[in-house]
Amino acid sequence: MNDVTKADARRHRRSANAVKASLRDLNTQLALLNRQFGAQVELKDADWNCLDLVDRHGPLTASALARLAGLHPATMTGVLDRLQRGGWITRERDPAATDRRAVTIRATRERNAELYRVLAGMNNRMDELCDRYTDAELELIADFLRRTAVAGHDSATELGGA
């Protein structure tokens, strides 16, 4: 390997390490935001994650939600109980299902206004940040974040042994 190629490789490695360090910083800040947000709307982290998944992908069965959230079914029962008590979700029995225990989880859309109000500061900051980028740059960033999410999912699956 010649000196130019070695220098390029070092530069690339430094840049990649800077991206990974930034992702760790982002993870920390989003965890702090989620804790503060959760305190405002009285949702635990796992509860908020599940509510967000139901809101984005629902309606879902409890087992499908548990798989998406990476939670044990027994843990999911407690999460769903808290979300239902808080008025965040409804559980509906499917009369056509062969298993009478089968339920579908739906987000209570009427509560979304409360979520939007609490997250308005972050949403406004993200809008301002996105305004600084071209459509092409935003597509690149979105692609990178989607691929990062897949890498995180695959790594969590690997660590979980599933």
Side-chain angles (χ1 to χ4, degrees):
M1 191 180 283
N2 64 36
D3 289 337
V4 173
T5 307
K6 286 180 184 178
D8 289 343
R10 278 193 302 275
R11 215 175 1 267
H12 184 79
R13 192 170 41 257
R14 276 194 304 274
S15 295
N17 286 337
V19 168
K20 291 188 269 185
S22 294
L23 286 171
R24 287 193 303 274
D25 291 343
L26 175 62
N27 182 58
T28 299
Q29 292 309 312
L30 290 178
L32 293 170
L33 174 64
N34 283 340
R35 269 196 294 283
Q36 294 298 323
F37 164 77
Q40 292 285 316
V41 295
E42 298 178 354
L43 288 172
K44 295 181 178 188
D45 284 352
D47 300 356
W48 163 235
N49 288 338
C50 288
L51 177 59
D52 187 45
L53 288 168
V54 171
D55 210 28
R56 290 187 298 132
H57 303 285
L60 295 167
T61 64
S63 58
L65 179 57
R67 277 192 305 279
L68 278 174
L71 296 174
H72 188 276
T75 303
M76 182 56 59
T77 300
V79 168
L80 294 176
D81 287 346
R82 287 189 300 273
L83 288 172
Q84 188 171 19
R85 271 194 311 272
W88 295 105
I89 60 152
T90 59
R91 292 190 244 196
E92 301 169 357
R93 297 219 182 274
D94 181 355
T98 55
D99 183 350
R100 293 184 314 163
R101 296 169 298 170
V103 295
T104 299
I105 313 302
R106 295 183 191 280
T108 307
R109 302 271 182 212
E110 296 79 26
R111 300 273 329 249
N112 281 353
E114 185 177 348
L115 300 176
Y116 296 142
R117 179 186 55 75
V118 174
L119 290 173
M122 180 61 169
N123 283 330
N124 291 335
R125 286 177 186 89
M126 291 304 302
D127 288 342
E128 290 171 8
L129 182 61
C130 288
D131 285 345
R132 297 178 183 178
Y133 295 93
T134 66
D135 289 343
E137 290 170 329
L138 289 172
E139 287 174 22
L140 179 66
I141 293 166
D143 179 64
F144 174 79
L145 292 173
R146 277 190 298 274
R147 290 172 187 245
T148 301
V150 169
H153 173 271
D154 292 351
S155 296
T157 300
E158 180 181 282
L159 289 172

